[in-house]
Amino acid sequence: MSKNKNALGVLMLLLAALIWGSAFSAQSIGARYVNAYTFLAIRSWISFIAMIPVVCFFKSKKSSNKHIINKSYKKTLIIASLCSGFFLFIASAMQQIGIKESNASKAGFITALYVIFVPIISIIFFKMKEGIRLWISVVLSVVGLFLLCIHDGFNLEYGDAILLFCAFLFALQIITVAHFVKKVDVLDLSIFQFLVVAIFSSIVMIAVEKPSADMIIKAIPALLFVGIFSGACGYTLQNVGQQYVRPSIASLLMSLESVFSAIFAWIILGEVLGSREMLGAILMFSAIILAQLPIRSREQ
């Protein structure tokens, strides 16, 4: 893989992490008005609708598209969308449920532990070899996350177990995307992934929740922001970036969402970013740099 493509992939994943970090406040505001599955369903439908003109625009730029008449491609796309969308649906739902049982800072730390699960799963199931510097980077990243997110002790509770399962599911989603982005068009995967999440979450919403129109209207600004930026933009950038970056490195890059979230909270909300948080952010950025150095020529 060329250095230019690797750099492009890194940039796309950094932008995704930046968007997700900036959208945290909007997600929290929206959650005040609607329950987890209602929030997930509406934001996913918004993401799906937002992707339609994007996909149509880029499809129209292609004089011919062999994927349209290729039945094998359509089958692969269906499988990819179902797998990635299902993992994303369950992970997002578990995250929202876990946050209610835990607290936001601890949730951010535990959810981002997919940085550990991704290389472990890659080694066990895909026989991928990860260098020693990658593991050092993972340790640095986890320590950085802890310093950034945990402030008042760390006791595992029921909600934390749900969040740990959520981290495992996000790891599966990252690995699934890495597997399929080389086989299907990234825009196709993005739009149909959102459709799968929207359908699943809508079914559960109808079954277990009773959202009121008044509450949905109050949450619309947050839902639009999260649906368009965090959803359509963020996850599409993830799909594009993972074409050129290994899953283990991609997970490290995306975990910077916690760093960007803290930075935006400091800039916009005036929250204190002390020396502990600064050290955590520095460790996480150092982990990204260290992980990139030895892998470019040998493993990517």
Side-chain angles (χ1 to χ4, degrees):
M1 181 180 298
S2 70
K3 292 183 179 181
N4 288 339
K5 288 185 176 180
N6 178 256
L8 175 63
V10 169
L11 177 61
M12 296 297 100
L13 293 169
L14 282 174
L15 285 174
L18 178 65
I19 291 171
W20 291 332
S22 68
F24 181 78
S25 297
Q27 185 173 347
S28 300
I29 292 170
R32 297 174 188 172
Y33 301 106
V34 294
N35 291 322
Y37 292 104
T38 301
F39 186 87
L40 184 58
I42 297 175
R43 67 172 284 187
S44 298
W45 282 115
I46 291 172
S47 298
F48 172 73
I49 294 170
M51 286 298 300
I52 292 175
V54 177
V55 173
C56 291
F57 174 78
F58 282 100
K59 294 292 184 183
S60 66
K61 293 294 182 179
K62 298 179 181 180
S63 57
S64 61
N65 192 334
K66 63 181 180 180
H67 297 321
I68 294 178
I69 59 175
N70 190 326
K71 292 183 179 179
S72 175
Y73 174 84
K74 290 182 179 180
K75 180 179 178 181
T76 303
L77 178 60
I78 291 172
I79 294 172
S81 302
L82 284 172
C83 292
S84 179
F86 178 76
F87 287 136
L88 183 59
F89 159 67
I90 297 295
S92 300
M94 291 299 100
Q95 183 182 46
Q96 199 68 25
I97 294 170
I99 287 174
K100 289 184 178 181
E101 300 291 335
S102 183
N103 60 68
S105 60
K106 194 190 292 185
F109 170 73
I110 297 175
T111 301
L113 290 179
Y114 56 70
V115 298
I116 296 176
F117 289 124
V118 168
I120 291 175
I121 295 171
S122 298
I123 290 172
I124 294 175
F125 293 100
F126 298 98
K127 309 301 180 183
M128 297 179 68
K129 296 181 180 180
E130 304 291 0
I132 184 63
R133 292 200 184 184
L134 184 280
W135 290 109
I136 294 174
S137 297
V138 168
V139 172
L140 285 175
S141 182
V142 171
V143 173
L145 279 167
F146 185 85
L147 292 174
L148 191 68
C149 301
I150 306 301
H151 305 283
D152 302 315
F154 186 75
N155 299 312
L156 286 175
E157 300 172 353
Y158 169 70
D160 303 330
I162 295 177
L163 290 167
L164 194 62
F165 181 54
C166 162
F168 177 74
L169 291 168
F170 272 126
L172 291 178
Q173 193 267 345
I174 291 169
I175 291 173
T176 300
V177 169
H179 177 72
F180 284 109
V181 287
K182 296 178 175 62
K183 299 183 178 182
V184 299
D185 184 88
V186 291
L187 292 179
D188 288 344
L189 178 58
S190 291
I191 191 170
F192 288 113
Q193 172 182 264
F194 293 133
L195 180 61
V196 170
V197 177
I199 291 173
F200 280 138
S201 52
S202 295
I203 291 172
V204 180
M205 176 191 71
I206 294 170
V208 304
E209 296 178 355
K210 297 179 179 179
S212 68
D214 181 58
M215 291 294 100
I216 292 175
I217 291 172
K218 289 180 179 179
I220 279 295
L223 286 164
L224 285 170
F225 185 88
V226 174
I228 294 172
F229 293 101
S230 181
C233 295
Y235 283 103
T236 300
L237 286 169
Q238 177 198 351
N239 292 350
V240 174
Q242 283 199 246
Q243 287 182 296
Y244 313 118
V245 179
R246 289 168 58 85
S248 54
I249 306 300
S251 66
L252 284 168
L253 288 162
M254 288 185 286
S255 71
L256 290 176
E257 171 191 359
S258 299
V259 176
F260 291 127
S261 177
I263 292 173
F264 277 105
W266 173 49
I267 296 173
I268 298 174
L269 303 178
E271 295 185 5
V272 177
L273 194 62
S275 56
R276 177 188 175 98
E277 290 80 7
M278 289 294 293
L279 177 59
I282 291 170
L283 285 175
M284 292 186 69
F285 278 113
S286 300
I288 300 300
I289 295 171
L290 179 64
Q292 280 293 299
L293 292 178
I295 295 176
R296 288 179 177 173
S297 60
R298 186 178 70 253
E299 296 182 12
Q300 290 185 351

